[in-house]
Structures are given as structure tokens and as C-alpha cells.
Amino acid sequence: QSVLTQPPSVSGAPGQRVTISCTGSSSNIGAGYGVHWYQQLPGTAPKLLIYDNNNRPSGVPDRFSGSKSGTSASLAITGLQAEDEADYYCQSSDSILTASVFGGGTKLTVL
Amino acid sequence: EVQLVESGGGLVQSGGSLRLSCGASGFSFSGYWMSWVRQAPGKGLEWVANINTDGSEKYYLDSVKGRLTISRDNAKNSLYLQLTSLRAEDTAVYYCARYNNYYMDVWGKGTTVTVSS
């Protein structure tokens, strides 16, 4: 059971918009800690996609965006492409656990 | 080029020990916190440990406290993870990552640890 909760899977057709939710609690996301998102393509290491709720590292397309509200956060992907098919993880910090915490991951399927 | 390269993984018997290494290049290693993150076969990412810039502060996942030890050698630009009293549930790919302002912005390719019973 992960500290941050994500849907196991989402899907969308090419060109569509999908969102992935990440729900935490008052000791992590709700405590004001930033939410960060990672993309893991099949057979590869994770890659930072969004940091501090809504910031994109250099090289990440603006089709990817993040938001945060209260104890939850979301990753949105617009103009879905076949190469977006991957696992996506949210991550934050937890004041009670004094630890970094990940969501369980969401598998995105491009139909 | 900023790079992290893990090594030291392998097959080990339950109860055994292993030492993982992570070599850093392309950035000022001593100026960054570092992390280990693992991923069991077919499972999600699990944070394991963090270490601060000079090694004086260390934080661990509860289930590995007392068995796994994170350390670093800034003179060698290297991060380590000592694994002892290994269990089947420690079987995973172990990733080294640069921990920058509470997120992991650079990742290595990982090294695989398999614990056999």
C-alpha cells in the first residue's frame, strides 16, 4: 500500500488528453511539500517529468503539465502520442515518515 | 554530461550481504544530497534512503533500517549502499539518484540484486 495513491491504469487515443491523479494526506502533499512526477518507459530508468508541482525540466514537452490542490495533485498529458506509453509515478515528501514517498504508479496505454 | 553509474549487484543468498556503488560524473557530487530507490520485479518505485552532502544525515525506509546503510565518499565521487541480512523481498533493481530540493533529477540505469532462498 503506497502512501500516495494513483490509479493503476489510464488510457487514451492519440491526440487526446489524459490526466493521472495522485492523492496524499496532510503529512505529505497537504503539508505543502511539492509533488514531482516521473516517466518510466518500458525497460528503462525513471526520468524526471515535472518538479515542484508544475515545473518542467529542460527538454520535457509542454504537452506535460502538473497541478496541485489540497492533498492531491494531477499530471495532464495533452496531444497524446504513442511514445507517451509508459508508467508514471508521483513523489513527494512526508513529515511523519521523514522520507520520500512514491505513488504506486499508473500505466498509460495509448490506444 | 551528468551521469550516474551503479554497480555491484548480483545473486546472493538469503541472509547474505552485498555492497552497491554509484559513480557520479559531470556535476559537483559533494554539493548534492543523494538517494537510493529500488523497484521489485513488476512493481513500482520504492524510496530506500537519502544522504546529505557530507554524510552526516541519513534517512531510511522503515523496513530497511538496521539492514541497509547508505554512505558516500566525496573524494571519489561515489555513493554506496551496504545491504546486509538480505531477504527475498529485497530483490529489486536499485537506482542511484541525485536528490535535488526534494526530488530526484538525475537517475542511473540501475543494478539488479537478486536474493535467493
Side-chain angles (χ1 to χ4, degrees):
Chain A
Q1 192 82 355
S2 301
V3 173
L4 304 179
T5 301
Q6 298 179 233
S9 63
V10 297
S11 63
Q16 285 190 333
R17 177 182 187 269
V18 296
T19 61
I20 298 173
S21 62
C22 174
T23 302
S25 68
S26 57
S27 65
N28 41 69
I29 297 176
Y33 290 107
V35 178
H36 322 294
W37 292 89
Y38 303 87
Q39 177 192 59
Q40 187 175 34
L41 297 169
T44 70
K47 167 193 161 185
L48 180 66
L49 195 65
I50 297 286
Y51 66 95
D52 289 343
N53 308 322
N54 56 14
N55 295 283
R56 286 186 308 276
S58 174
V60 174
D62 59 6
R63 302 186 297 105
F64 295 91
S65 62
S67 63
K68 172 188 162 183
S69 178
T71 59
S72 296
S74 289
L75 172 71
I77 310 172
T78 58
L80 208 56
Q81 299 180 4
E83 55 261 38
D84 298 332
E85 193 161 281
D87 294 324
Y88 293 84
Y89 295 89
C90 61
Q91 178 249 318
S92 187
S93 301
D94 192 284
S95 60
I96 293 178
L97 300 174
T98 59
S100 296
V101 288
F102 283 96
T106 299
K107 181 175 182 59
L108 168 63
T109 300
V110 180
L111 301 171
Chain B
E1 180 193 3
V2 174
Q3 196 171 11
L4 296 170
V5 180
E6 303 93 336
S7 60
L11 176 63
V12 61
Q13 287 194 326
S14 180
S17 300
L18 211 54
R19 189 199 198 202
L20 307 183
S21 299
C22 171
S25 59
F27 66 99
S28 179
F29 178 74
S30 61
Y32 288 89
W33 284 54
M34 297 295 294
S35 300
W36 286 100
V37 176
R38 69 184 179 183
Q39 186 170 33
K43 303 296 184 182
L45 301 175
E46 181 176 55
W47 169 79
V48 173
N50 285 344
I51 188 168
N52 71 339
T53 54
D54 65 3
S56 61
E57 294 180 44
K58 302 174 185 182
Y59 301 90
Y60 296 97
L61 179 68
D62 279 349
S63 63
V64 307
K65 284 178 182 175
R67 300 189 303 113
L68 274 57
T69 303
I70 190 171
S71 63
R72 65 191 297 161
D73 185 336
N74 287 341
K76 295 183 178 179
N77 290 336
S78 293
L79 177 72
Y80 306 102
L81 187 67
Q82 180 72 43
L83 299 85
T84 61
S85 302
L86 282 164
R87 308 166 180 168
E89 55 264 36
D90 296 316
T91 293
V93 175
Y94 284 74
Y95 295 102
C96 160
R98 189 172 77 176
Y99 188 66
N100 187 10
N101 290 326
Y102 299 103
Y103 54 88
M104 291 86 172
D105 66 346
V106 179
W107 295 69
K109 288 182 166 52
T111 188
T112 300
V113 173
T114 304
V115 182
S116 68
S117 52

